[in-house]
Amino acid sequence: MTYKYKHEDKALVAVDCIIFGFDQEEEVLKILLIKRDFKPSKGKWSLMGGFLKTNETIDDAATRVLCTLTGLQEVYMEQLSVFSEVDRDPAERTISVAYYALINIGDHKKDLIKKYSAQWFDLSEMPHLIFDHDLMVDHAIKRLKYRISVQPIGFELLPEKFTMRQVKKLYEAILSEELDKRNFVKKIHSMEILERLDEKDKRSSKKGSYLFRVKKDKYRRKMDKEHEFNA
Amino acid sequence: MTYKYKHEDKALVAVDCIIFGFDQEEEVLKILLIKRDFKPSKGKWSLMGGFLKTNETIDDAATRVLCTLTGLQEVYMEQLSVFSEVDRDPAERTISVAYYALINIGDHKKDLIKKYSAQWFDLSEMPHLIFDHDLMVDHAIKRLKYRISVQPIGFELLPEKFTMRQVKKLYEAILSEELDKRNFVKKIHSMEILERLDEKDKRSSKKGSYLFRVKKDKYRRKMDKEHEFNA
DNA sequence: TCAAAAGTGTTCACCGTACACCCATGG
DNA sequence: CCATGGGTGTACGGTGAACACTTTTGA
């Protein structure tokens, strides 16, 4: 026997994804935007989003939306907040749950990018976005800054093997401030989740710099433990 | 000219409030629960909740729901997370946004409590709640523990004038651990948001202990500044 | 041989924590 | 006068921040 809540208003529920990637050539943080090919606001830049379906959770929806655009699964995502201003979407009452995702920019499928007229933007050169998406991006950046200072999530943005230089440039890009090399290396090592390989990357210097890799098991343990505290 | 998103599923959107209060007699943290008087799960204990209306934001809805049960406005509330398991509400697909609220337990309207068959429960003696409300409460407690260690929100749970003893007991109740008196006082004073009054409260000792009050302006400034960073 | 990036340690200030004694008062 | 809770300061270890020189090697 089931009961229904009569006379209650229903709403469209959407998710929107702030997708971050780290461009290793330019050493800047980028964000993946799409050009909307439907109304309203057709032709304008927007976050990738989608509507919640009845048979999925909101986390599922966010994962699905991200995968649709990037082809990636098993991506680090975090729910930010609900955006629910009454007129945020001029077409119809829609509340949206914002998520941000950290991906290795080299991994995503190029054909999908084309299909959705998507494009990577330098954070400092982003166009204005539709609805309240600019606000969402602001939130995401703040949260990412905070999160990275507390948990080792930055490595989600890097390829499997990376140099300390890359890690440092990544943190600098996210925090938008210069960091001291020695203190930084010390801090990263104190996490105890990296192993140094015997290979060197000689692309950025004649001397070459050591490549590192995340120790997956230690990383997982650390994330789980800290998640407990932070919620 | 408006457009509609045809063929998208709609959902009921609800808010649920974890309402915390600090019982000064028993020096324990309490939570306000209601006995549902409608189906499904009629007669079971539950968080106070309500459905989002088309003309309000989700924050508005949470504020409204809280006010309905307590008569209070201008209350500290924080959004926790969206709960959206497909079958969380057996009656109908409903997603719920959980909020927690901190109120001065002496302030709320007794008649409303009666009207909604509500009751304050000691955290350690809580009954099982309907749906995923137990989960929500867990989240709320974790977040509250974190938040109080970072921002001076504890005073939201106290009356206008309070003693250091009360503050300490409150923190101990939230963190569920004993704190060192001297270190605690030092920490509270280092926030620089309290002023000591000339009055003493003699109820809990013969010597009497000084009463303190929050300096509202400093408090606001501190909250705003820290909010910026934490998001 | 030199330019450019890599790699590496020490010092200091501050903060959180551990810890114990005297004070005031009502009964 | 004594039992009860109130009020207060110091010493230590750990953590984050400032800071400069040597190494490697391709050009």
Side-chain angles (χ1 to χ4, degrees):
Chain A
M1 182 74 193
T2 57
Y3 303 85
K4 294 270 182 184
Y5 304 108
K6 308 286 186 202
H7 314 304
E8 299 291 351
D9 303 327
K10 290 196 174 188
L12 281 168
V13 178
V15 295
D16 286 297
C17 291
I18 296 99
I19 304 172
F20 290 110
F22 182 62
D23 184 319
Q24 280 136 229
E25 311 304 311
E26 303 177 40
E27 297 178 335
V28 291
L29 195 61
K30 298 209 161 179
I31 181 174
L32 187 56
L33 301 174
I34 65 168
K35 203 177 243 174
R36 267 170 81 106
D37 67 343
F38 53 92
K39 300 203 169 183
S41 297
K42 183 170 172 174
K44 298 221 176 122
W45 291 102
S46 154
L47 296 171
M48 180 67 180
F51 291 99
L52 176 70
K53 299 187 188 303
T54 49
N55 62 346
E56 64 184 3
T57 67
I58 197 82
D59 280 1
D60 291 341
T63 306
R64 171 174 57 76
V65 162
L66 181 80
C67 184
T68 303
L69 181 58
T70 63
L72 299 176
Q73 264 155 335
E74 312 262 320
V75 168
Y76 179 89
M77 295 189 85
E78 185 184 348
Q79 189 188 110
L80 286 170
S81 180
V82 177
F83 289 76
S84 60
E85 289 297 321
V86 173
D87 296 320
R88 56 177 295 283
D89 183 331
E92 201 169 346
R93 180 72 202 279
T94 307
I95 72 164
S96 176
V97 185
Y99 283 76
Y100 74 91
L102 306 182
I103 72 172
N104 173 1
I105 208 168
D107 278 356
H108 67 86
K109 302 275 187 295
K110 298 293 175 334
D111 50 330
L112 290 171
I113 296 279
K114 211 166 265 168
K115 179 171 167 195
Y116 290 94
S117 318
Q119 195 175 311
W120 286 99
F121 283 88
D122 199 299
L123 270 189
S124 58
E125 295 165 7
M126 256 182 54
H128 277 294
L129 307 182
I130 61 161
F131 304 171
D132 46 8
H133 289 193
D134 285 328
L135 246 184
M136 292 180 178
V137 173
D138 284 350
H139 265 246
I141 293 171
K142 266 188 206 153
R143 182 78 133 261
L144 176 56
K145 277 187 192 186
Y146 165 70
R147 187 65 64 202
I148 206 177
S149 72
V150 160
Q151 277 177 286
I153 58 170
F155 304 107
E156 304 280 352
L157 289 157
L158 293 171
E160 201 195 332
K161 300 175 184 179
F162 46 84
T163 64
M164 269 298 159
R165 174 204 177 82
Q166 284 177 291
V167 185
K168 176 161 168 285
K169 290 289 182 184
L170 168 63
Y171 272 69
E172 288 175 339
I174 292 174
L175 301 172
S176 20
E177 62 179 308
E178 302 251 308
L179 300 172
D180 177 84
K181 198 183 1 170
R182 284 161 294 182
N183 292 337
F184 183 76
V185 170
K186 223 184 307 169
K187 176 180 159 169
I188 295 295
H189 282 140
S190 76
M191 296 175 181
E192 297 186 305
I193 57 171
L194 295 189
E195 58 182 336
R196 195 175 83 175
L197 307 176
D198 284 331
E199 303 170 63
K200 284 197 163 195
D201 179 338
K202 303 204 116 189
R203 280 174 303 173
S204 69
S205 78
K206 319 191 163 168
K207 187 178 175 182
S209 55
Y210 281 108
L211 285 166
F212 291 82
R213 178 166 48 187
V214 174
K215 286 192 259 183
K216 291 275 161 63
D217 51 335
K218 299 234 174 173
Y219 176 69
R220 290 273 160 249
R221 240 174 296 157
K222 187 153 283 236
M223 291 290 282
D224 291 349
K225 207 187 307 171
E226 282 166 16
H227 187 72
E228 244 175 63
F229 182 60
N230 257 328
Chain B
M1 180 75 193
T2 58
Y3 303 86
K4 292 271 182 183
Y5 305 109
K6 308 286 187 203
H7 314 303
E8 300 291 350
D9 303 327
K10 289 196 175 188
L12 280 167
V13 178
V15 294
D16 286 298
C17 291
I18 297 97
I19 304 171
F20 290 110
F22 182 62
D23 184 319
Q24 280 135 232
E25 310 305 310
E26 304 177 39
E27 297 179 333
V28 292
L29 196 60
K30 299 211 161 179
I31 181 174
L32 187 57
L33 301 174
I34 65 168
K35 203 178 243 174
R36 268 169 82 105
D37 67 344
F38 51 92
K39 301 203 170 186
S41 298
K42 184 171 171 174
K44 298 219 176 127
W45 291 101
S46 154
L47 295 171
M48 180 67 180
F51 292 99
L52 177 69
K53 299 188 188 303
T54 50
N55 62 346
E56 62 183 3
T57 67
I58 197 80
D59 280 1
D60 291 340
T63 306
R64 171 174 56 78
V65 162
L66 181 80
C67 185
T68 303
L69 182 57
T70 64
L72 298 176
Q73 265 156 334
E74 311 264 320
V75 169
Y76 179 89
M77 295 189 85
E78 185 184 346
Q79 188 187 111
L80 286 171
S81 181
V82 177
F83 289 76
S84 59
E85 288 296 321
V86 172
D87 296 320
R88 55 177 296 284
D89 184 330
E92 201 168 345
R93 179 71 201 279
T94 307
I95 72 164
S96 177
V97 185
Y99 282 76
Y100 74 93
L102 307 181
I103 72 172
N104 173 1
I105 208 169
D107 277 357
H108 68 85
K109 300 274 186 296
K110 296 294 173 340
D111 50 329
L112 291 171
I113 295 279
K114 211 166 263 165
K115 178 172 168 194
Y116 291 95
S117 318
Q119 195 175 310
W120 286 99
F121 283 89
D122 199 299
L123 269 190
S124 58
E125 295 165 6
M126 257 182 51
H128 278 295
L129 307 182
I130 61 161
F131 305 171
D132 46 10
H133 288 192
D134 284 328
L135 246 182
M136 292 179 179
V137 173
D138 284 351
H139 264 247
I141 293 171
K142 266 187 207 155
R143 183 78 132 260
L144 176 57
K145 277 187 191 186
Y146 165 70
R147 186 65 65 200
I148 206 178
S149 72
V150 159
Q151 276 177 288
I153 59 169
F155 305 105
E156 304 280 353
L157 289 157
L158 294 171
E160 201 196 331
K161 300 174 184 180
F162 47 83
T163 64
M164 270 297 160
R165 175 206 177 82
Q166 284 177 289
V167 185
K168 176 162 168 284
K169 289 289 182 183
L170 168 63
Y171 272 69
E172 288 175 337
I174 292 175
L175 300 173
S176 19
E177 62 178 308
E178 303 251 309
L179 301 171
D180 178 84
K181 199 182 2 168
R182 284 161 292 185
N183 293 337
F184 182 75
V185 170
K186 224 184 307 169
K187 177 181 159 170
I188 295 296
H189 281 139
S190 76
M191 295 175 182
E192 297 186 306
I193 57 170
L194 295 190
E195 59 181 337
R196 196 174 81 175
L197 307 176
D198 285 331
E199 302 170 64
K200 285 197 164 192
D201 179 338
K202 304 202 115 188
R203 280 175 303 173
S204 70
S205 78
K206 321 191 163 171
K207 185 177 177 182
S209 54
Y210 282 109
L211 285 167
F212 291 82
R213 179 166 46 187
V214 174
K215 288 191 258 184
K216 291 274 161 61
D217 51 335
K218 300 234 174 171
Y219 176 69
R220 289 272 159 250
R221 238 174 297 155
K222 185 151 284 230
M223 291 290 284
D224 292 349
K225 206 187 307 169
E226 281 166 16
H227 187 73
E228 244 175 61
F229 182 63
N230 256 329

